Amino acid sequence: MGKGFYISKGVGIVGVILGAGAVATIIALSVVYSQEKAKNNEVKPTEPGTTTNPTATATTPTPSNETWDQYRLPKTLEPIHYDVTLRPHLKRDPVNGLYIFTGESTFHFKCVEDTDLILIHSNKLNYTTQANGHTATLTSVSGAEAPQIKNSFLWDVTQYLVLQLNGKLTKDSEYKLYTKFHGELADDLGGFYRSEYKEGNETKIVATTQMQPTDARKAFPCLDEPAMKSYFNISLIHDYGMVALSNGAERESVNITIDGEKLVKTSFEMTEKMSTYLLAFVVCDFGYIESTSDKTLIRIFARKSAINAGQGAYALNKTGPILKFFEKYYNSSYPLPKSDQIALPDFNAGAMENWGLITYRETALLYDERFSSNSNKERIATIIAHELAHMWFGNLVTLRWWNDLWLNEGFASYVEYLGGDNAEPDWGVKDLIVLSDVHRVFAVDALASSHPLSSKEEDIQKPEQISELFDAISYSKGASVLRMLSDFLTEEIFTMGLRTYLKEFAFGNAVYTDLWRHLQMAVNQTGTVLPDTLENIMNTWVLQMGFPVVTINTTTGEVRQQHFLLDPDSNVTTPSDYNYEWIVPMKWQKKEAVQPTFWLTKKSNSTEIMKVTGSDWVLANINVTGYYRVNYDDGNWDRLLNQLATDHRIIPVINRAQLVDDAFNLARAKIIPTVWALKTTTYLNKELEYMPWASALNNLDFFSLMFDRSEVYGPMQDYLRKQVTPLFYHFKNITGNWTNVPKGHMDQYNQVNAISLSCKTGLEECQDLVKSWFQQWMTTGNNSIHPNLRSTVYCNAIAAGGAKEWEFAWLEFKNSTIASEAEKLRSALSCTKQPWLLNRYLEYTLDPNSIRKQDATSTIVYIANNVVGQPLAWDFVRDRWYYIFTEYGGGSFSFSNLINGITKRFSTEFELKELRQFKEDNSDEGFGSGTLAVDQSIERTIANMKWIAENEENVLEWFRAETKA
Ligand SMILES: *[C@@H]1O[C@H](CO)[C@@H](O)[C@H](O)[C@H]1NC(C)=O
Ligand SMILES: *[C@@H]1O[C@H](CO)[C@@H](O)[C@H](O)[C@H]1NC(C)=O
Ligand SMILES: *[C@@H]1O[C@H](CO)[C@@H](O)[C@H](O)[C@H]1NC(C)=O
Ligand SMILES: CC(=O)N[C@H]1CO[C@H](CO)[C@@H](O)[C@@H]1O
Ligand SMILES: [Zn+2]
């Protein structure tokens, strides 16, 4: 799946609203991880359902340990092919009032081990009783006679249709199993589900699917494990004139009549041998555009009005070239005749790599020049690349079981930057992996509650355990570690191993060590010298959580590593076979001279080469290709800061961003003083590049949150205004007094940073500028604000304005039909400084006619990000807790995001008391999915109080001194 699944990508909008960025992410993610960990700890190894520990199972007093109590399929049957016909009804069933689908399936399989039991996954399906009195009919295809079905039932816990036979299926014989069934076409975003949208006055229904990870069994009975690859013959029955799509190309479409109803049956070419989680079925009334690339038919489907407005054109133009890029990269041609991509109004993940029919959220596929910013555009290019990368890595070769998910998602999350770079070579998008993945996951992986990339197969059994694997560790750490691997091997050797791996396992399944084996072959073949086997090197990154901070002492030449923990007082209770030691490939330079890679293979290593003299300095982790942080002796820090002050361009741009990020995080971990971290920002008044600014703003977010109600705030604003003013005038200058768009992609991002920080810190010219733009829109009704700048302009204009501005934006929000525009407005509405407007906006969040339920939490959190809105949101949520909890419980309403969002600024004794009171007052109804977040908020408040006590004075003094000069 695309990574939108766990978090939306925020490239380029970092710092649009200071206070809503990285820290929020850090906090939110850390909660997710702790929750996961808590849940994982509940998995008792002796539970029935684990196949691995028979002794323990036997001694456990459980009511039943039948085969159908096991979450994993027995190894008795192998699929050959499925013939499946499905009919989604796009009108409510007159009898039960539900939207339903009906279906029939014939499952051809081979018996590989004698058995008198058939287990086939089935979830929420109702079966029609057959002539034999059972839910299914079993017949022999070749070999032995089929035994009779003795008993059949549905086993809900493990999601099986269970068929007990009165004789044995015999090894090597082939059988077929026929079933007729129906299920609900619910709006639950899983399995075969329904999505709705308005076109003119009409509500239209789309039937679509999301199978990954375990919901194919909700569409038809199947052996729903990734290694149970099979061929599928799919047919869809639908109304005449509707679009019907599946993985295969359309084979034929014939008119049929069912119960007097005239319908169409569309049948698709048999699929390649594939996993069930990659199936997709769609029936809709969409429009499309198409082209061909070599012999591959490429089509983009979306709502007709979106297609007619040309919103599919960008995706269509980029898909062919990206497919070609990956064909070359993998040295393997795209195995299907067509590549369909479809934008769905309701979709849970960012996108899903169904083989031949990729599904997307609308914002991840549709581009409209009039409304989409460059960051919207970048997301589209990279997410298409991500999904197309899966066509080989994931679809052609599939990991055997979900415990290796990190390799599948980490790989796609790494090469999406290569594909995106190929599609838009001028953007420099490859560098952004450092901000979007490496920095993002560093924040999570530096907690004692993190977990390793790799899980044991036996620990991942239940659907919810599988779902939990779709997290930042799998995606972003996976991507970061694979990028490091590709870098130290060189891309040439990396792709060499990758290509032979894909060749060996095409249409089959593999485990992650199979990839290591092929990469090792490439290493041996090319005579590459590594300090250890590839597997041993990678084990230190894959089998233990966290990452090291490498400390270089340029006086003694000592290089040492230690497990980096953001909170130095935290207790690491997870043991590691590798003793939290890593084999670290270090790219480094001495002043401008790039040095040969230095491998740190032990806790500590002393070497003459790291010693420097005079004004020379050492800089390590060049371009942050390594997954680690770096610290230096005081002298080297001084010399690096001095270099930044005199000519920062000598230091590579990514490393300028890294020096800032490392310094702030080392300070949080109390490894270096906080004012040293602040010192890395003093050169910024000469910095024009996006990445260092983005990194600084990310890190200063925390300072804003901690100090925006204290006397530090004034001097801090003065300092930041002083730093950003030259950047503001730089952009004014290169855009011809704000009339042109900066050429570079990163410059466009940095223009947003320049405007947002200048306006926020009170640069009058900036405030006048955004007010005049907004005013012009209000008076002429003509919005000429560039899409890149809309988020920040709306926010700052509404912050500076009053009721008139707010009401105008509210109407625009209500009337907006473009998702990305509505999103920008909804967030900007929270920027007003008027308490009564904020209070009324809070009321709107609990009225589904004003704010859609799915957006309620994030809107409250936006309001809490505003320093004026913070106490209002806290009072509001405390007041309405019972109502919120009962009305919005479950579904997409995330209590943990809400609680973390409204309390993240907490840092006083009084707030701590209120928080504890809140916990006590609501102990009866509880906090649902926010339970852990309440405790974590208390913990975080205490940590914040400590941090402020330790830092406030120094920081204030530092800002004052910096602004006096
Ligand atoms: C399936 O059967 C159950 C139990 O009889 C019933 O509650 C449910 O509504 C049925 N589902 C559909 C989609 O008909
Ligand atoms: C939509 O509804 C309005 C009022 O009910 C009607 O006048 C108009 O013709 C309808 N438009 C369409 C496209 O059906
Ligand atoms: C199928 O039915 C539609 C309308 O129901 C009709 O217009 C079309 O001609 C039919 N096609 C064939 C091949 O009979
Ligand atoms: C409690 C229970 O059903 N135990 C059974 C578990 O499975 C073993 C072997 O299949 C049986 O011998 C136990 O009786
Ligand atoms: Zn993916």
Side-chain angles (χ1 to χ4, degrees):
M1 272 186 269
K3 70 174 79 166
F5 186 72
Y6 74 90
I7 193 152
S8 68
K9 212 169 157 179
V11 192
I13 54 159
V14 182
V16 165
I17 313 161
L18 269 177
V23 179
T25 316
I26 294 167
I27 293 159
L29 288 176
S30 68
V31 171
V32 173
Y33 293 111
S34 311
Q35 276 170 339
E36 267 163 28
K37 194 151 176 284
K39 277 189 222 153
N40 282 334
N41 288 343
E42 282 162 26
V43 180
K44 299 172 198 76
T46 53
E47 200 163 345
T50 48
T51 48
T52 47
N53 200 341
T55 1
T57 308
T59 57
T60 311
T62 46
S64 145
N65 68 357
E66 302 291 350
T67 314
W68 52 82
D69 291 314
Q70 318 290 313
Y71 283 90
R72 295 296 301 272
L73 287 164
K75 294 180 172 59
T76 47
L77 311 179
E78 242 171 37
I80 299 170
H81 67 94
Y82 296 79
D83 303 320
V84 180
T85 301
L86 292 168
R87 178 185 171 194
H89 295 243
L90 303 188
K91 292 197 187 73
R92 282 186 195 280
D93 188 87
V95 181
N96 55 20
L98 295 175
Y99 286 91
I100 63 158
F101 64 92
T102 52
E104 288 180 81
S105 160
T106 305
F107 171 44
H108 295 247
F109 63 93
K110 184 171 149 185
C111 174
V112 290
E113 205 181 285
D114 287 7
T115 180
D116 58 4
L117 183 69
I118 295 174
L119 292 185
I120 184 163
H121 283 114
S122 172
N123 186 19
K124 298 187 177 153
L125 296 174
N126 290 359
Y127 289 83
T128 306
T129 305
Q130 308 281 306
N132 62 7
H134 294 288
T135 47
T137 308
L138 180 69
T139 46
S140 167
V141 175
S142 73
E145 270 299 290
Q148 299 284 307
I149 296 174
K150 186 168 71 185
N151 187 25
S152 65
F153 56 93
L154 292 164
W155 199 243
D156 285 343
V157 183
T158 44
Q159 306 179 339
Y160 287 124
L161 166 61
V162 181
L163 302 168
Q164 291 173 299
L165 311 176
N166 66 7
K168 292 220 169 195
L169 299 170
T170 50
K171 184 168 177 323
D172 295 330
S173 297
E174 293 180 13
Y175 305 90
K176 59 184 183 180
L177 185 75
Y178 171 81
T179 51
K180 195 161 186 258
F181 51 89
H182 67 274
E184 188 183 350
L185 195 69
D187 56 355
D188 57 0
L189 310 170
F192 208 9
Y193 73 92
R194 103 179 170 271
S195 168
E196 297 184 8
Y197 64 99
K198 279 246 159 73
E199 201 154 71
N201 296 349
E202 228 182 313
T203 296
K204 300 225 166 172
I205 307 286
V206 178
T208 184
T209 52
Q210 169 61 39
M211 307 305 200
Q212 193 185 29
T214 57
D215 277 334
R217 63 190 70 169
K218 209 163 148 269
F220 67 100
C222 54
L223 302 185
D224 197 11
E225 291 189 358
M228 290 292 175
K229 286 196 172 184
S230 183
Y231 299 93
F232 298 86
N233 288 303
I234 305 295
S235 301
L236 292 171
I237 295 173
H238 52 91
D239 283 345
Y240 185 78
M242 296 293 273
V243 172
L245 299 169
S246 186
N247 306 77
E250 180 180 321
R251 183 161 48 82
E252 61 167 9
S253 204
V254 294
N255 286 348
I256 56 168
T257 306
I258 298 177
D259 299 332
E261 249 187 292
K262 287 196 165 149
L263 296 161
V264 179
K265 179 173 176 176
T266 299
S267 305
F268 302 92
E269 297 288 352
M270 186 165 80
T271 66
E272 296 290 349
K273 196 174 184 194
M274 65 183 280
S275 303
T276 49
Y277 80 87
L278 293 167
L279 289 168
F281 322 126
V282 173
V283 173
C284 62
D285 188 25
F286 278 7
Y288 71 96
I289 48 176
E290 65 175 18
S291 67
T292 52
S293 169
D294 290 337
K295 280 184 206 120
T296 310
L297 173 66
I298 296 169
R299 295 185 293 187
I300 307 292
F301 289 83
R303 287 181 289 110
K304 280 178 178 161
S305 56
I307 289 295
N308 292 341
Q311 293 178 11
Y314 181 71
L316 186 68
N317 289 340
K318 292 302 169 190
T319 300
I322 296 176
L323 264 182
K324 274 204 191 130
F325 167 79
F326 281 122
E327 288 188 318
K328 240 175 99 188
Y329 184 75
Y330 293 126
N331 190 28
S332 164
S333 49
Y334 180 68
L336 309 182
K338 63 109 172 168
S339 170
D340 286 336
Q341 295 175 96
I342 185 166
L344 296 161
D346 297 283
F347 193 72
N348 206 14
M352 176 62 212
E353 70 266 20
N354 314 299
W355 216 3
L357 174 53
I358 307 174
T359 45
Y360 292 82
R361 231 174 231 233
E362 288 195 347
T363 49
L365 191 67
L366 302 180
Y367 176 76
D368 190 322
E369 208 174 6
R370 294 165 306 155
F371 298 98
S372 310
S373 64
N374 65 323
S375 113
N376 297 146
K377 193 174 191 175
E378 183 190 308
R379 173 148 196 254
I380 294 167
T382 52
I383 206 161
I384 290 175
H386 179 109
E387 305 310 331
L388 292 179
H390 275 310
M391 299 299 117
W392 291 262
F393 202 101
N395 299 6
L396 180 63
V397 177
T398 310
L399 275 326
R400 193 177 66 197
W401 183 244
W402 298 107
N403 62 312
D404 280 345
L405 180 83
W406 71 270
L407 183 60
N408 193 25
E409 290 306 348
F411 186 88
S413 301
Y414 164 52
V415 300
E416 72 179 56
Y417 289 96
L418 310 188
D421 182 59
N422 183 265
E424 296 286 358
D426 302 334
W427 286 357
V429 73
K430 278 202 244 180
D431 295 350
L432 292 175
I433 191 173
V434 172
L435 295 175
S436 313
D437 290 287
V438 185
H439 284 181
R440 172 163 276 165
V441 75
F442 266 169
V444 177
D445 206 18
L447 303 174
S449 58
S450 188
H451 62 88
L453 276 172
S454 182
S455 309
K456 292 207 179 84
E457 181 165 351
E458 59 269 26
D459 289 344
I460 308 301
Q461 300 262 340
K462 302 178 184 179
E464 52 278 23
Q465 292 169 335
I466 297 168
S467 296
E468 278 172 5
L469 292 174
F470 290 82
D471 68 8
I473 297 287
S474 291
Y475 282 78
S476 294
K477 184 177 182 177
S480 306
V481 163
L482 290 168
R483 171 169 170 265
M484 174 170 71
L485 170 61
S486 172
D487 184 74
F488 75 69
L489 289 179
T490 72
E491 186 167 305
E492 189 197 337
I493 293 171
F494 184 74
T495 48
M496 194 189 278
L498 179 63
R499 288 165 183 176
T500 56
Y501 163 84
L502 289 174
K503 207 161 176 184
E504 179 179 341
F505 295 101
F507 303 106
N509 294 80
V511 292
Y512 78 90
T513 47
D514 288 322
L515 179 60
W516 293 173
R517 184 163 50 80
H518 278 268
L519 291 172
Q520 186 70 53
M521 275 158 42
V523 165
N524 298 347
Q525 215 175 315
T526 53
T528 308
V529 179
L530 294 177
D532 205 330
T533 64
L534 188 128
E535 182 166 359
N536 285 344
I537 295 171
M538 292 312 288
N539 280 349
T540 67
W541 301 96
V542 167
L543 300 181
Q544 62 186 348
M545 69 175 190
F547 57 89
V549 49
V550 171
T551 305
I552 299 171
N553 187 328
T554 58
T555 316
T556 62
E558 191 202 18
V559 184
R560 67 189 156 81
Q561 55 166 308
Q562 84 193 70
H563 184 187
F564 181 79
L565 291 165
L566 195 62
D567 175 0
D569 303 331
S570 56
N571 254 335
V572 177
T573 50
T574 320
S576 163
D577 290 345
Y578 297 87
N579 199 20
Y580 292 104
E581 238 177 273
W582 288 263
I583 301 180
V584 188
M586 289 176 61
K587 297 236 160 144
W588 64 293
Q589 58 189 63
K590 236 181 211 177
K591 213 139 187 199
E592 280 151 278
V594 176
Q595 308 291 320
T597 300
F598 176 83
W599 284 90
L600 179 59
T601 55
K602 296 181 291 203
K603 267 256 144 79
S604 156
N605 207 336
S606 270
T607 159
E608 287 298 312
I609 53 171
M610 291 284 177
K611 289 189 184 172
V612 291
T613 51
S615 67
D616 278 5
W617 40 257
V618 163
L619 179 72
N621 204 3
I622 301 306
N623 292 332
V624 196
T625 52
Y627 188 67
Y628 57 93
R629 292 198 181 280
V630 189
N631 185 24
Y632 306 94
D633 59 292
D634 301 5
N636 198 64
W637 270 116
D638 275 344
R639 293 190 295 272
L640 283 168
L641 289 171
N642 198 39
Q643 184 63 64
L644 285 176
T646 48
D647 184 0
H648 61 270
R649 284 163 307 183
I650 300 289
I651 295 175
V653 61
I654 301 181
N655 285 92
R656 304 203 299 265
Q658 190 59 24
L659 283 170
V660 173
D661 196 67
D662 278 346
F664 274 91
N665 283 281
L666 292 168
R668 281 288 289 278
K670 296 191 191 162
I671 295 173
I672 64 170
T674 302
V675 293
W676 286 22
L678 288 169
K679 277 189 196 163
T680 62
T681 67
T682 51
Y683 91 100
L684 285 175
N685 54 8
K686 288 189 230 107
E687 181 61 86
L688 300 177
E689 297 285 345
Y690 166 68
M691 289 188 62
W693 270 105
S695 175
L697 292 182
N698 257 330
N699 285 293
L700 286 166
D701 243 3
F702 178 69
F703 281 66
S704 261
L705 285 176
M706 290 304 101
F707 295 133
D708 64 5
R709 298 172 299 170
S710 82
E711 65 172 328
V712 180
Y713 198 59
M716 175 170 156
Q717 293 289 82
D718 293 344
Y719 170 70
L720 292 176
R721 188 175 59 249
K722 184 181 115 195
Q723 294 301 84
V724 76
T725 301
L727 192 67
F728 181 82
Y729 287 112
H730 165 74
F731 280 107
K732 179 181 177 181
N733 188 23
I734 67 162
T735 58
N737 200 11
W738 311 108
T739 50
N740 308 315
V741 180
K743 273 209 199 71
H745 183 65
M746 303 271 192
D747 290 337
Q748 293 179 29
Y749 283 157
N750 212 25
Q751 185 193 18
V752 176
N753 281 340
I755 293 179
S756 20
L757 188 61
S758 301
C759 281
K760 185 188 150 82
T761 54
L763 184 68
E764 244 168 78
E765 183 172 342
C766 178
Q767 293 177 336
D768 292 345
L769 180 71
V770 302
K771 278 190 279 186
S772 74
W773 282 341
F774 197 80
Q775 211 58 45
Q776 195 191 10
W777 180 22
M778 281 176 67
T779 46
T780 63
N782 200 348
N783 188 350
S784 56
I785 305 164
H786 193 274
N788 287 350
L789 306 181
R790 284 186 184 180
S791 289
T792 185
V793 170
Y794 295 174
C795 175
N796 282 293
I798 289 170
K804 212 165 80 201
E805 286 74 14
W806 200 94
E807 300 292 354
F808 174 78
W810 174 253
L811 273 181
E812 289 291 328
F813 166 72
K814 292 304 288 176
N815 294 334
S816 174
T817 54
I818 312 262
S820 60
E821 179 70 7
E823 190 53 43
K824 290 172 182 130
L825 286 160
R826 185 167 62 85
S827 134
L829 285 164
S830 69
C831 298
T832 179
K833 302 288 178 203
Q834 309 285 330
W836 72 276
L837 287 172
L838 288 167
N839 267 330
R840 193 180 58 180
Y841 196 25
L842 280 166
E843 297 291 339
Y844 289 173
T845 62
L846 297 188
D847 170 14
N849 294 319
S850 298
I851 300 284
R852 281 186 298 155
K853 268 193 169 186
Q854 63 175 30
D855 296 331
T857 356
S858 63
T859 309
I860 297 173
V861 171
Y862 287 153
I863 295 171
N865 284 337
N866 177 338
V867 65
V868 181
Q870 153 78 55
L872 307 177
W874 169 234
D875 286 347
F876 178 80
V877 170
R878 273 193 302 173
D879 248 31
R880 310 297 166 87
W881 183 255
Y882 183 73
Y883 179 78
I884 294 174
F885 192 68
T886 46
E887 282 299 300
Y888 286 72
S892 57
F893 200 83
S894 162
F895 291 124
S896 65
N897 281 350
L898 178 67
I899 289 170
N900 279 305
I902 57 171
T903 63
K904 68 180 174 218
R905 216 184 238 103
F906 281 13
S907 52
T908 65
E909 194 69 53
F910 182 67
E911 283 160 341
L912 180 63
K913 225 173 87 193
E914 284 192 332
L915 193 49
R916 286 189 166 135
Q917 189 66 46
F918 175 58
K919 182 182 171 182
E920 207 180 300
D921 292 348
N922 295 288
S923 53
D924 286 349
E925 54 261 35
F927 298 92
S929 60
T931 309
L932 220 90
V934 174
D935 288 332
Q936 293 205 329
S937 296
I938 292 175
E939 231 181 282
R940 193 179 51 241
T941 305
I942 296 170
N944 288 348
M945 286 163 62
K946 252 170 57 189
W947 188 85
I948 290 181
E950 281 162 20
N951 290 288
E952 184 165 24
E953 216 169 293
N954 290 340
V955 168
L956 176 61
E957 207 171 288
W958 190 86
F959 281 131
R960 280 199 177 133
E962 282 299 314
T963 42
K964 228 178 257 155

